Amino acid sequence: MDGPHNAQANAGTAHGDGANGRRLPDFLLSVNLKYVKLGYHYLISHLLTLCFVPLTAVTLLEFSQMSYTDVRLLWLHLQFNLISVIIFSTVVVFGLTVYIMSRPRPIYLVDYSCFRAPHDWAASLHAFMEHSRRTGDFDESSLEFQRKILERSGVGDETCVPEAMHTVPPMPSMAAARDEAEKVMYGALDALFCNTKVKPKDIGILVVNCSLFNPTPSLSAMIVNRYKLRGNVRSFNLGGMGCSAGLISVDLAKDLLQIHRNTCAVVVSTENITQNWYFGNKKSMLIPNCLFRVGGSAVLLSNKSVDRSRAKYKLVHVVRTHKGADDKAFRCVYQEQDGAGKTGVSLSKDLMAIAGGALKTNITTLGPLVLPISEQLLFFATLAVKKLFNNGVKTYIPDFKLAFDHFCIHAGGRAVIDELEKNLQLLPVHVEASRMTLHRFGNTSSSSIWYELAYIEAKGRMRKGHRVWQIAFGSGFKCNSAVWQALRNVKPSCNGPWEDCIDRYPVKLVL
C-alpha cells in the first residue's frame, strides 16, 4: 500500500515531467486503503437502506400517479374482500402481540460503584518487598522472583492490601478476613445506595461473588443482615469461579430479571486477600501475591421502564465460554497445597495459550452478534478460500473496533493486556483503561472491569450510543463477555474510584 510519503514522491515525479511542469499526480497512488475499507463497510452496512430507498421512491411515484377513479376502485376491492382484510389484520395484531410479550425485557444498568481503600492500606513495591523479607517465610530465590515479577507487572505504588497483611508477622485470621470483606462490600454498597437513592428494601435480587472466601453465613447473608433486605429477597452466593465471576453474576441477574417484573438487582463482586496470601516458595504460586490487590464493586440493575431515563447503560449481550472439559484448561489456575503444606493458587505456564483459545471460542460466538455484516462477509470469505483452495491463506481477523467504542479487558496482568491488544489489533487508547487500572488498583479480580469502566467515564469519553465490551477470564477455565450500550453521555458518579487521581493518568509505564 502506498503511504503519504510514496504519494508525495510520485506527485513530485509527475510534476517534473511535461513541458509546463503542471501535470497532476496520479491520485490512485495517493488513495489510502483505509478509506476504501471504510467505504466498503458503509456500503455493506447500509445495503438494505440503499435498496429500500429506491423501492420506496418508485412506490410513492406510482401512488402519486393514481387518479380518483383508481383510488375508488381500490377501496371497493377492499370492501368486497372485507373478510380477508379482517383476517389479515387479526393475524398481524396477534403476531405483534406475541412478539412484544415474548421478546426479552431490556436490562438497565442504573449505576455502579467501586471500593476505594484507605491510604494506609497502600503497599508500594519497596514496602511490599521489605515486608515480604521481614516475614521470614520466603527464601532469597523467592524474594528475587517476586521482585522481578513486580518490576514487570505494571502494578504501581498505590495498590492496596488489607490491614492484616501489613503486620509482621501477618495475621490472616477468619475475623480479619470477615473484616476485609465487610469493609469492601459495605463501602461499595454504601456509595451505590447513596448515589442512586435506592432503598435497600427495594432490592429484589442479590448476587454476590467471591472466589476464595466463602464463610458461613454467606457473604450474601452478611449483606442481607447489614442492610435489612426484605425477607423474600432472592439471594445468591457464587464461589470458586475466578476473575470472570462478575460477568457470570451479571448473567444470572439478567436471567432472573427476565422472570421477575419491576425488580431491581444488585451484583456485588469482590475477592478476599487476607486468607489467601501464599507464604511458601513455589514460584508458580507466588505470582498471585504480586498481582492481586484489594477491590470490589456493586452494580445496580433494573428491568423497570421508569429507570431507563436515569440509567447509564443497557445490557446488549452476555456470552459465556467454559473450557473446563479440557484437563489442561481445568488445572491452569488451581488452588492447592505445596510440598510444605502451604495453600496457594498455582498458575500454569500454559495459561496464556489456554486464555487465547478460550477467547477465540468466545468471540466466535460474540462476533456474529456485534460485528457489522461487512466484517462477517470478509471473515467467512477468507475462511472459505483457506479451506477450499489454500491452507496457507491467513484467516482474516475481524476488526472489533467497528463494533465497539471502548474495551474493558480484565486487568489480570500486563501479559494478558498485551496479548489482547496484539491479537485484537487494538490501539493503545483502547487498552489504556485496563493498563491504568492495573497500575492504580492492581488485579482486583472480578471487579477490575468496573474500575476500568469508571476510568473511561472519569476521562469523559463515554457518549450516548457508545458500545462497551467487557472481557474477563477466570479459573475453570472461562472467558466471559458483556456488551453494554450507553443511554446518554455518561459522567462519573460521586465518590468514584478515580475521583482523587484521574488528572494524573495516564501515566507512562516502564516496559
Side-chain angles (χ1 to χ4, degrees), residues 286-332:
L286 283 169
I287 298 174
N289 285 10
C290 302
L291 298 177
F292 281 85
R293 296 293 185 267
V294 169
S297 63
V299 181
L300 178 63
L301 303 174
S302 174
N303 60 13
K304 300 178 181 179
S305 57
V306 295
D307 283 331
R308 191 186 193 284
S309 60
R310 66 172 184 146
K312 287 185 172 183
Y313 304 95
K314 180 177 72 173
L315 181 60
V316 182
H317 300 292
V318 177
V319 175
R320 293 168 54 182
T321 301
H322 204 307
K323 307 292 285 186
D326 178 78
D327 290 341
K328 282 188 176 181
F330 175 71
R331 295 188 64 91
C332 72

Side-chain angles (χ1 to χ4, degrees), residues 230-387:
R230 64 197 197 202
N232 65 345
V233 65
R234 294 166 178 85
S235 65
F236 301 85
N237 200 97
L238 308 183
M241 305 196 78
C243 299
S244 66
L247 295 182
I248 296 174
S249 298
V250 168
D251 190 39
L252 175 58
K254 177 206 70 175
D255 290 343
L256 292 167
L257 287 170
Q258 292 298 330
I259 301 170
H260 304 285
R261 294 177 177 272
N262 294 321
T263 305
C264 290
V266 168
V267 173
V268 179
S269 300
T270 187
E271 191 53 85
N272 195 278
I273 305 295
T274 299
Q275 282 198 321
N276 295 288
W277 203 264
Y278 176 61
F279 294 100
N281 292 289
K282 187 176 180 180
K283 300 294 191 297
S284 63
M285 300 171 78
L286 283 169
I287 298 174
N289 285 10
C290 302
L291 298 177
F292 281 85
R293 296 293 185 267
V294 169
S297 63
V299 181
L300 178 63
L301 303 174
S302 174
N303 60 13
K304 300 178 181 179
S305 57
V306 295
D307 283 331
R308 191 186 193 284
S309 60
R310 66 172 184 146
K312 287 185 172 183
Y313 304 95
K314 180 177 72 173
L315 181 60
V316 182
H317 300 292
V318 177
V319 175
R320 293 168 54 182
T321 301
H322 204 307
K323 307 292 285 186
D326 178 78
D327 290 341
K328 282 188 176 181
F330 175 71
R331 295 188 64 91
C332 72
V333 181
Y334 203 81
Q335 187 179 24
E336 60 184 351
Q337 290 182 323
D338 65 10
K342 296 182 178 180
T343 303
V345 176
S346 177
L347 303 183
S348 167
K349 293 181 180 179
D350 300 323
L351 176 60
M352 291 307 303
I354 291 167
L359 175 66
K360 182 178 179 181
T361 303
N362 189 267
I363 64 177
T364 300
T365 304
L366 180 67
L369 299 175
V370 298
L371 286 170
I373 189 66
S374 54
E375 282 296 283
Q376 296 185 47
L377 288 175
L378 284 174
F379 174 76
F380 286 115
T382 56
L383 189 63
V385 171
K386 182 178 181 179
K387 291 290 185 182

